[in-house]
């Protein structure tokens, strides 16, 4: 067993509704990552009709693209004693069918969201600023809503590292699969 990666658990996802929100930069890496995540969602019993896939321009936009899945009233920090995110989301009036690229058949709560982006270091400090802000933003959205947001943002130093983490060209391991499994586990545990 690899030194890295979580020890495997099996969770049944047939009752879950999951969103995958992905950036469109470095799409030759994004595509296998999203496919790997979706493959594991389906393998865990998540219904195809309960998987909503949306995109945004780049990783910088991921936090707001994830947050807009919730209406303003749902962006509550449950630590303040407000209604739980579950209660709020259950009454969600978000019309997902109006969102671009949405395959949602109806509005409804998400049990987990996977945010997918690929940041590849260039010559400038742009990479560092986007990576830090995007990760902090995604952490804030999940804590504000109580809905797990799986961090599917690769922050790599070169194309080879990106390919190895998407399992392309027969190299490495597709991390998208790990994110799909994490989404099912966290979605199930959130309903417990
Ligand atoms: O710069 N490199 C990258 C990038 N820049 C665009 C940024 O996310 C945003 O979309 C624009 O700045 C507009 O707001 N976005 C990525 O996902 N990966 C990169 O490697």
């Amino acid at each position: 067993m690899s030194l890295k990666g979580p020890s495997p658990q099996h969770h049944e996802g047939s009752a879950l509704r999951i969103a995958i929100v992905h950036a469109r930069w470095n799409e030759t890496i994004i595509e296998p990552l999203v496919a790997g995540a979706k493959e594991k969602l389906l393998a865990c019993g998540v219904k195809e009709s309960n998987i909503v896939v949306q995109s945004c321009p780049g990783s910088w936009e991921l936090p707001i693209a994830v947050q807009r899945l919730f209406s303003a009233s749902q962006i509550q920090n449950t630590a303040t004693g407000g209604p739980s995110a579950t209660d709020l989301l259950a009454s969600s009036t978000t019309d997902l069918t109006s969102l671009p690229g949405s395959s949602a058949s109806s509005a409804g709560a998400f049990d987990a969201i996977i945010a997918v982006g690929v940041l590849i270091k260039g010559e400038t400090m742009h990479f560092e600023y986007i990576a830090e802000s995007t990760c902090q933003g995604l952490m804030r959205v999940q804590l504000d809503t109580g809905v797990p947001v799986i961090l599917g943002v690769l922050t790599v130093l070169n194309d080879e590292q990106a390919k190895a983490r998407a399992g392309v060209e027969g190299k490495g391991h597709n991390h998208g699969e790990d994110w799909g499994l994490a989404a099912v586990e966290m979605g199930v545990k959130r309903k417990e």
Side-chain angles (χ1 to χ4, degrees):
M1 178 184 291
S2 159
L3 287 177
K4 293 185 177 180
S7 54
Q9 291 187 357
H10 177 73
H11 295 276
E12 212 285 318
S14 59
L16 299 182
R17 184 173 173 81
I18 308 283
I20 301 175
V21 182
H22 68 83
R24 293 194 302 273
W25 268 66
N26 303 308
E27 225 159 19
T28 56
I29 305 296
I30 289 284
E31 281 170 4
L33 291 171
V34 170
K38 192 169 178 181
E39 174 197 321
K40 289 300 182 183
L41 293 179
L42 294 170
C44 291
V46 181
K47 298 181 181 68
E48 178 102 35
S49 58
N50 283 339
I51 300 173
V52 171
V53 181
Q54 293 177 6
S55 73
C56 60
S59 295
W60 177 265
E61 285 75 27
L62 283 171
I64 190 68
V66 170
Q67 188 183 66
R68 71 191 283 259
L69 293 175
F70 303 91
S71 65
S73 65
Q74 294 162 353
I75 310 298
Q76 304 259 348
N77 182 333
T78 48
T80 59
S84 78
T86 304
D87 300 337
L88 289 166
L89 287 172
S91 61
S92 166
T93 55
T94 305
D95 174 11
L96 291 179
T97 55
S98 66
L99 297 175
S102 166
S103 59
S105 54
S106 64
F110 285 111
D111 299 294
I113 297 166
I114 307 173
V116 182
V118 176
L119 281 161
I120 302 178
K121 172 75 177 161
E123 296 172 341
T124 69
M125 291 291 288
H126 199 205
F127 166 92
E128 284 81 354
Y129 292 116
I130 298 174
E132 171 67 16
S133 300
T134 296
C135 291
Q136 291 295 345
L138 292 173
M139 175 61 76
R140 197 186 106 194
V141 170
Q142 76 171 345
L143 295 179
D144 286 354
T145 61
V147 175
V149 175
I150 304 306
L151 180 63
V153 180
L154 292 186
T155 50
V156 294
L157 302 180
N158 53 55
D159 294 1
E160 287 315 304
Q161 288 183 356
K163 290 175 186 174
R165 286 153 183 78
V168 300
E169 296 176 2
K171 297 172 189 159
H173 164 69
N174 186 340
H175 286 223
E177 296 175 8
D178 304 333
W179 304 334
L181 293 174
V184 171
E185 177 179 345
M186 295 308 289
V188 164
K189 289 180 174 176
R190 183 173 159 270
K191 289 170 106 63
E192 285 173 350

